[in-house]
């Protein structure tokens, strides 16, 4: 986005910072400190954006049941809705202008329209929801641009088959055996692919945050990370959750689970750095959900890869490692806490 696209309204510190980024400047501008105190008396005009982890794929019922946007799988009670209710109970009112979170969204779908599953239609670029008077933009993107589902399929023969048909993406190299994915991602072509994908995510997040400042110059921006999927103690993943027959990560080799965790940790670090570099806030869900991974049994906040979710399309749809209701509530809790912190400073 060139500096010629900048709006001509009186510049605030953030607008100056955004222009500096656009021009490739290394100028550092300090925003004036706000006064801490009570929550804002007026409703805060808010836009939520994001992918399936913001939409809370797997939780029913789903919005837009009567049109193709159903295929965004945006839960009626996703974490944006739950966080809004939680804040209302504390006297903080969000005037939600829009929630445009949609399953399958890449970071680039913040500024490009997104084609829905099966070519059923398209949804507009998520930035279209931002207004001049938007005061708060909250959500998370990055996992699909990284290609995390492709990483999962590289490591799982089951997900390469019919059981993963509704999980977007292809294995990185289908000619490489799933059982050897640890070696694949730690060297050679697999490592080179990951390195490239992380660079892509980093650049796209920088573009997204810059565009937020252009479309909503006075909005506080909150980038939300992903909850942790794999625990530090991966031996817990060798036991099925209560009431389940499949392991949380099905046939993914045990030696590959730390690799999956490291990939997610690196994505989290990239997102955190992108937010810090552009003066946005970050919700570090990875750091806050280590006891609620897919392998934490009754305490799991993540549904197992092939554990049935609440959705059905003629047959039950798996969670594919998305937050269940417990995980959604954890997302809402930490996002609400960060929003309150941002609005009160």
């Amino acid at each position: 986005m060139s500096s010629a696209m900048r709006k001509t309204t009186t510049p605030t510190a953030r607008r100056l910072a955004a222009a500096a980024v656009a021009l490739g400047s290394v100028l550092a501008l300090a925003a004036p400190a706000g006064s801490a105190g009570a929550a804002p008396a007026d409703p805060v005009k808010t836009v939520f954006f994001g992918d399936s982890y913001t939409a809370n794929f797997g939780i029913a019922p789903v919005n837009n049941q009567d049109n193709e946007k159903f295929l965004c799988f945006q839960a009626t009670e996703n974490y944006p809705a739950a966080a809004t209710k939680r804040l209302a109970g504390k006297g903080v009112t969000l005037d939600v202008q829009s929630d445009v979170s949609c399953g399958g969204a890449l970071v680039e779908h913040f500024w490009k329209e997104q084609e829905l599953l099966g070519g059923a239609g398209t949804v507009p670029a998520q930035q279209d929801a931002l207004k001049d008077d938007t005061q708060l933009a909250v959500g998370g993107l990055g996992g699909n641009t990284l290609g995390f589902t492709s990483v999962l399929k590289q490591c799982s023969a089951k997900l390469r088959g019919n059981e993963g048909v509704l999980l977007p993406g292809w294995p990185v190299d289908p000619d490489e055996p799933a059982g050897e994915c640890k070696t694949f991602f730690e060297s050679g072509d697999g490592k080179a692919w990951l390195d490239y994908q992380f660079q892509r995510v980093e650049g796209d997040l920088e573009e997204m945050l810059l565009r937020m400042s252009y479309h909503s110059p006075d909005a506080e921006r909150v980038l939300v990370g992903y909850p942790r999927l794999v625990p530090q103690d991966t031996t817990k993943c060798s036991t099925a959750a209560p009431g389940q027959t499949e392991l949380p990560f099905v046939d993914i080799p045990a030696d590959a689970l730390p690799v999956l965790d490291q990939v997610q940790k690196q994505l989290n670090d990239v997102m955190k750095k992108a937010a810090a570099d552009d003066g946005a806030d970050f919700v570090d869900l990875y750091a806050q959900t280590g006891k609620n991974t897919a392998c934490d049994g009754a305490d799991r906040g993540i549904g197992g890869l092939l554990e049935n979710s609440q959705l059905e399309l003629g047959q039950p749809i798996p969670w594919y490692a998305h937050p269940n209701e417990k995980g959604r509530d954890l997302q809402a809790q930490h996002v609400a806490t960060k929003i309150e912190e941002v609005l009160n400073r």
Side-chain angles (χ1 to χ4, degrees):
M1 183 183 300
S2 71
S3 58
M5 293 178 64
R6 292 287 159 211
K7 296 190 176 181
T8 58
T9 53
T10 303
T12 61
R14 177 172 297 126
R15 283 197 289 270
L16 287 172
V21 172
L23 293 169
S25 171
V26 295
L27 182 63
L29 297 174
S35 58
D42 296 327
V44 180
K45 297 181 186 301
T46 304
V47 168
F48 289 101
F49 65 90
D51 57 23
S52 57
Y53 279 76
T54 307
N56 281 122
F57 166 89
I59 294 176
V62 171
N63 287 323
N64 303 301
Q65 293 274 355
D66 58 346
N67 61 62
E68 68 273 7
K69 285 186 179 179
F70 165 77
L71 292 170
C72 279
F73 297 108
Q74 185 187 99
T76 301
E77 293 296 322
N78 62 354
Y79 85 67
T84 298
K85 290 179 179 177
R86 177 182 286 268
L87 287 165
K90 302 180 75 173
V92 180
T93 303
L94 301 186
D95 174 8
V96 180
Q97 295 176 309
S98 193
D99 178 352
V100 290
S101 59
C102 187
L106 307 174
V107 180
E108 69 179 26
H109 290 135
F110 192 79
W111 61 88
K112 295 180 181 179
E113 71 176 17
Q114 176 186 349
E115 184 174 326
L116 294 171
L117 184 70
T122 61
V123 291
Q126 296 191 17
Q127 70 180 15
D128 292 358
L130 295 172
K131 309 300 179 188
D132 278 340
D133 63 351
T134 299
Q135 298 167 284
L136 183 65
V138 183
L141 289 164
N144 292 321
T145 297
L146 175 66
F148 196 77
T149 58
S150 292
V151 176
L152 291 173
K153 287 188 173 185
Q154 185 64 35
C155 295
S156 170
K158 284 192 173 184
L159 291 182
R160 295 187 190 189
N162 290 336
E163 290 175 287
V165 68
L166 290 178
L167 185 66
W170 302 92
V172 179
D173 185 349
D175 294 329
E176 290 288 328
E180 297 177 12
C181 71
K182 177 182 185 294
T183 301
F184 176 77
F185 283 119
E186 289 183 339
S187 62
D189 290 344
K191 184 179 184 303
W193 178 85
L194 272 177
D195 290 344
Y196 173 79
Q197 294 300 102
F198 279 118
Q199 291 174 13
R200 181 183 174 195
V201 172
E202 183 177 8
D204 282 2
L205 286 175
E206 290 172 356
E207 175 78 5
M208 180 187 76
L209 290 165
L210 186 62
R211 284 173 175 269
M212 286 182 193
S213 289
Y214 171 71
H215 287 283
S216 299
D218 296 317
E220 300 286 355
R221 299 158 301 159
V222 179
L223 184 61
V224 181
Y226 295 90
R228 189 168 183 173
L229 306 182
V230 180
Q232 183 174 358
D233 178 8
T234 58
T235 62
K236 295 193 291 186
C237 300
S238 62
T239 302
Q244 301 299 313
T245 56
E246 292 273 14
L247 296 179
F249 290 99
V250 290
D251 61 334
I252 292 179
D255 68 353
L257 292 176
V259 176
L260 295 185
D261 184 49
Q262 182 55 44
V263 169
Q264 189 187 6
K265 175 64 166 59
Q266 188 171 347
L267 173 61
N268 188 74
D269 290 344
V270 167
M271 296 178 72
K272 183 188 299 186
K273 182 178 184 298
D277 286 350
D278 204 45
D281 287 276
F282 183 65
V283 181
D284 193 344
L285 290 176
Y286 178 90
Q288 297 168 316
T289 55
K291 295 182 180 179
N292 304 102
T293 71
C295 303
D296 279 299
D299 292 325
R300 69 193 182 284
I302 302 295
L305 283 175
L306 295 182
E307 179 182 349
N308 287 342
S309 73
Q310 298 173 5
L311 299 180
E312 291 194 12
L313 282 179
Q315 62 183 26
I317 300 177
W319 284 108
Y320 292 133
H322 283 77
N324 54 26
E325 286 180 307
K326 180 189 288 289
R328 181 273 318 277
D329 290 344
L330 288 168
Q331 289 175 294
Q333 173 191 335
H334 294 300
V335 169
T337 297
K338 177 59 71 174
I339 290 175
E340 190 173 16
E341 172 191 319
V342 167
L343 296 179
N344 284 343
R345 69 187 175 203

